[in-house]
Amino acid sequence: QVQLVQSGAEVKKPGASVNVSCKASGYSFTSYNMHWVRQAPGQGLEWMGIINPSPGSTTYGQKFQGRVTMTRDTSTSTFYMELSSLRSEDTAVYYCARVGDCSGGSCYSNFDYWGQGTLVTVSS
Amino acid sequence: QSALTQPASVSGSPGQSITISCTGTSSDIGGYNYVSWYQQHPGKAPKLIIYDVNNRPSGVSNRFSGSKSGNTASLTISGLQAEDEADYYCGSYKTRVTGVFGGGTKLTVL
């Protein structure tokens, strides 16, 4: 069965960077795009970006451009999301979310499997 | 401020039907049939319940249905059950290759 297992909670100081991992299993790693979505405490979902595992191309949300980097390691079936220059407003649960079979715009909407989430706390 | 607008809360009694709206623009909901809905229980990850406006993934109850008219999408839950109490989010593709979500709606089953 499809599983997305994320790394554990992190506490970071303002200005630092955080790297969250998402290990995929139960499906063909290079066949499905992966998105990153975050949720601030008590708030809604916010789309951050997408990575196509083959060939590793990315598209980032305008709000995060210049601060986020999404990568993947095909040898370990793991995705990574690094967010830099952290500020208190980045405190949130970060999710990886897979898109199933899709084409065009549906690749940005239909998230069929989600990781368990990683809480990132930014505090001095 | 979320790109898609949802009511903050809705409520209904067991057995009743409720509808949650999700309003966007011609650049997202109105322009494409790529609207999805997610159910999120406290402390859990979201779960896909509707995709491509009105399709249910395998295993999702047929009490959940979706529709769209112009720039507004809707999620209807019929035969409300206690376990339906959760937060619900809409999502859509948006022009210029992005994804967007609504702010979420808290459903209370009275």
Side-chain angles (χ1 to χ4, degrees), chain A residues 33 35 47 50 99-111, chain B residues 27-29 31-36 38 51-53 91-101:
Chain A
N33 296 329
H35 295 251
W47 184 80
I50 177 178
V99 173
D101 292 327
C102 67
S103 63
S106 67
C107 296
Y108 291 80
S109 176
N110 304 335
F111 309 120
Chain B
S27 295
D28 38 66
I29 292 176
Y32 311 93
N33 289 323
Y34 300 132
V35 178
S36 51
Y38 304 86
Y51 68 95
D52 292 348
V53 177
S92 175
Y93 171 71
K94 186 177 180 69
T95 303
R96 294 187 184 175
V97 193
T98 64
V100 291
F101 290 100

Side-chain angles (χ1 to χ4, degrees), chain A residues 6 10 24 30 36 44 49 51 55 61 69 78 84-85 87 93 96 103 107 113 117:
Chain A
Q6 298 184 221
E10 302 261 15
T30 55
W36 290 89
I51 179 168
T69 303
T78 303
S84 62
S85 302
R87 36 206 187 231
V93 175
C96 56
S103 63
C107 296
Y113 287 94

Side-chain angles (χ1 to χ4, degrees), chain B residues 43-97:
Chain B
K44 300 294 187 180
K47 173 188 174 183
L48 179 66
I49 55 175
I50 295 288
Y51 68 95
D52 292 348
V53 177
N54 56 11
N55 293 282
R56 282 186 308 276
S58 175
V60 173
S61 172
N62 59 9
R63 298 185 299 105
F64 295 92
S65 62
S67 63
K68 188 187 88 165
S69 177
N71 294 339
T72 298
S74 298
L75 171 71
T76 297
I77 309 175
S78 59
L80 267 182
Q81 300 179 359
E83 67 242 37
D84 297 333
E85 186 161 295
D87 293 327
Y88 291 84
Y89 293 91
C90 58
S92 175
Y93 171 71
K94 186 177 180 69
T95 303
R96 294 187 184 175
V97 193

